[in-house]
Structure formats: structure tokens, C-alpha cells
Amino acid sequence: MANGIARSGSRAADGATALLDVRDLQVHLRTADRVVRAVDGVDLQVASGECVGIVGESGSGKSTLSRTVARLMINAEFARLRGQAFFDGADTLTLEPQALRRLRRKAGFSMIFQDPLGYLNPTMRVGRQIREALSPGDHAASESERVHALLREAGLRDVESVAQRYPHELSGGMRQRIMIAIALASEPRLLFADEPTTALDATVQLQVLETLHRLHLKRHMAMIIITHDLGVVAALCDRVYVMHAGKVVETAGTLELFDAPRSPYAARLIELTRHTRADAPARGRALAQATAGSGSAA
Ligand SMILES: Nc1ncnc2c1ncn2[C@@H]1O[C@H](COP(=O)(O)OP(=O)(O)O)[C@@H](O)[C@H]1O
Ligand SMILES: [Mg+2]
């Protein structure tokens, strides 16, 4: 229980039961003059319902790792891939496009990013963008009821009016909540969140993290929080992978990492956080208070 936050499913994953099981993943990118080993032999496991952090400085390979696994960034022209990434037993790296679409559409994985504006359609009302992402199947509620429920779950109010707006008519925090609603529309079992709050003001950051934490508990949804900010990891994650130069240099329980980092790199990252982000532990506490007993709320 890091920072006194109630945890669900906070057991360390093992290969046999992992929802996501990444084995010896390498992503080498060819640029004009050299080969970048963006991801260089990474093993990573996430159990069902677990919240895992991937932390490291900019350029350490976090986004390449997650985008590769989620099959959002594979350009065989300039990327060389090796290894495997099993989601629920199927290797996402070799899935045919149709199977991949099925996985995305229903109870697979979704992703949110630092920059929602870059991923939202500027010419379409946000409600419709969420509707287009809804999972198929039998549902008692109408599509617009489902869209409104998702907006509420993502922490928005006045949802009927919000659904009618275009992305540019919303604040950064609201846009990130729209991305969250779109991500939830397919009822994912795993959510990749790549620097989900980096572009937001500190207060809004905390509120969005609180929403993610509540969703993780309520939906028993596994999450991978990708961030350069150890404060975010401290507030949300059960376990952490520390990445540096394309490799995992340490993996540990969150508290364990903060108390006694084993790698010099992780120790330096913690030191840096303490130095520049004196509020990191306080943010963890604030989040714990804000979310205490809120597992069934909203
Ligand atoms: N499209 C690309 N072409 C060439 N190099 C890239 C590309 N994307 C990322 N890289 C390089 O791969 C490494 C890892 O980048 P990235 O995965 O974005 O790291 P992080 O998300 O941790 O900041 C960096 O050295 C980066 O410059
Ligand atoms: Mg990144």
C-alpha cells in the first residue's frame, strides 16, 4: 500500500498469469546516419487489474516500448523488431490487422497520450468521437446514454453539453478526459497512459490522476503509467519498471524502489525528484486522501 492508497490486484505478475507479457523486446530504429536502440531487450509483465509504472528520463524508450506493444508504431521500413509481446496469450507483434482491430475494439487495450489534441478529430463533436469507439454487443442503454455515462466516468459534468462540443472548445484537462472516455469506450482490460498529465497544470494533473486511479479500482482495469515523473508513479502504481537507454535497469515495488533503489540510475532519478519536486510525496498523500473510499463513487 504505497502512500496508504487502497490497492487492487497489486501482486507482482508472473509470466504464467500475466495479462501482458513482453519478452526480450528489441526495437531498433534506423535513422539517416545510425541505428537507435530505442528498446533493447525489455522484459515486462502486467497482471490483470495491476497498475504498473514505466519511469525514465526523456529518450529512454518508454513511448517506443508501449507504442510497439500496442502496435501503434511499427514501420518495418525503418524499425527492426525482435521479441514477443503477449496480450492475453496472443503475440500482438504478429497479429493480423483484423485480429488486432478485434482486440482493440473489445476488451483489449486502449491508450491515452500526453497530447490529446493530436489524437482527436478537430472537425467532429467529441460525443460522436466517443460513440464511434463504443464496443459492439448487446447493451440495454442507448448509444448516447452510454456516451454520457463514459463522460461522467471520465470525471466530466454537464455531459450533454460537453458531448456537443468540438475539441478546441475544451480545456486541456477536459480534452484529456475525452481521451479517457474514448479509451474506456472499448471496455479495455489494459490502459496504456503515456505521460497522461505531463501537459497539464499541477492541480488539473492531480484531478486527472485521481480519475485514473478511481477507474483502475472500479473497473479492475490494468494500467501502465508511462512517465518521467516519479511523483506520478508514487501516487498510482503498485510496481515500477525503471528504463534507461532502452533497457529496464530496475524493477521493484513502488515503496521498495523509493526506500532502497538498487540501481545507481534509479537512485539518481529519486534524488532528482526529491530535489526538483519536493511536493512528490505530498501529491501521493493528497491523492490518497482524495480517493479514500471513492472506489464505488462516480
Ligand atoms: N521515429 C523515430 N525515429 C528515430 N528515432 C526515434 C524515433 N522515435 C524515437 N526515437 C529515438 O528512440 C529513443 C527512445 O525514444 P522514446 O521512446 O520516445 O523515449 P521516451 O518516451 O522515454 O522519451 C530516443 O533516442 C529517440 O530519439
Ligand atoms: Mg515518451
Side-chain angles (χ1 to χ4, degrees):
M1 271 223 214
N3 297 313
I5 302 174
R7 301 283 169 187
S8 69
S10 58
R11 62 200 176 283
D14 65 61
T17 59
L19 178 63
L20 179 70
D21 184 3
V22 177
R23 296 187 192 170
D24 195 21
L25 183 68
Q26 296 177 23
V27 187
H28 294 181
L29 305 170
R30 203 170 50 239
T31 65
D33 54 348
R34 66 197 182 104
V35 172
V36 180
R37 299 179 172 215
V39 178
D40 205 14
V42 164
D43 290 286
L44 177 142
Q45 285 82 34
V46 181
S48 195
E50 192 182 25
C51 183
V52 166
I54 302 178
V55 70
E57 287 167 313
S58 176
S60 53
K62 309 181 295 296
S63 293
T64 306
L65 167 64
S66 54
R67 280 160 190 260
T68 302
V69 170
R71 282 283 294 273
L72 291 172
M73 195 209 85
I74 297 184
N75 183 345
E77 295 285 302
F78 77 106
R80 202 204 72 182
L81 292 186
R82 292 272 195 286
Q84 292 152 313
F86 295 99
F87 180 85
D88 205 18
D91 186 356
T92 64
L93 302 185
T94 58
L95 277 183
E96 298 297 326
Q98 207 179 357
L100 190 66
R101 269 199 298 279
R102 256 200 317 275
L103 191 62
R104 290 233 182 85
R105 199 95 177 97
K106 180 71 190 162
F109 47 75
S110 295
M111 196 152 182
I112 60 173
F113 307 93
Q114 174 174 346
D115 162 32
L117 211 46
Y119 293 88
L120 291 169
N121 182 337
T123 65
M124 198 191 280
R125 295 179 201 278
V126 295
R128 182 156 159 229
Q129 300 191 47
I130 299 168
R131 196 154 67 237
E132 295 200 340
L134 286 172
S135 68
D138 290 341
H139 291 273
S142 72
E143 286 199 337
S144 52
E145 283 167 350
R146 288 172 69 197
V147 168
H148 295 158
L150 286 167
L151 286 167
R152 269 183 225 105
E153 247 195 295
L156 290 157
R157 286 186 294 268
D158 299 327
V159 295
E160 286 85 356
S161 133
V162 168
Q164 292 301 318
R165 296 200 220 160
Y166 291 94
H168 72 268
E169 299 176 313
L170 302 171
S171 70
M174 289 170 91
R175 282 199 286 263
Q176 190 56 286
R177 293 182 186 280
I178 301 295
M179 280 298 291
I180 292 172
I182 291 174
L184 294 178
S186 58
E187 297 162 37
R189 277 179 295 159
L190 172 64
L191 178 70
F192 291 93
D194 191 350
E195 305 275 5
T197 59
T198 303
L200 305 174
D201 295 344
T203 353
V204 182
Q205 265 192 24
L206 190 61
Q207 290 162 357
V208 171
L209 290 177
E210 196 187 308
T211 297
L212 288 174
H213 185 247
R214 190 174 346 107
L215 288 167
H216 160 63
L217 293 179
K218 186 183 160 219
R219 290 186 165 236
H220 197 64
M221 175 177 71
M223 292 201 304
I224 298 183
I225 306 284
I226 298 148
T227 177
H228 67 285
D229 184 346
L230 270 170
V232 169
V233 163
L236 283 183
C237 304
D238 309 311
R239 234 159 29 87
V240 195
Y241 289 83
V242 181
M243 275 190 81
H244 176 55
K247 293 184 193 302
V248 170
V249 293
E250 180 158 358
T251 171
T254 307
L255 277 186
E256 193 189 333
L257 180 82
F258 273 86
D259 284 350
R262 280 167 289 148
S263 65
Y265 179 74
R268 193 161 66 79
L269 218 52
I270 290 169
E271 206 43 53
L272 219 60
T273 310
R274 293 217 166 99
H275 198 62
T276 56
R277 292 293 306 269
D279 64 332
R283 290 170 71 227
R285 271 199 305 282
L287 186 70
Q289 279 162 10
T291 57
S294 68
S296 60

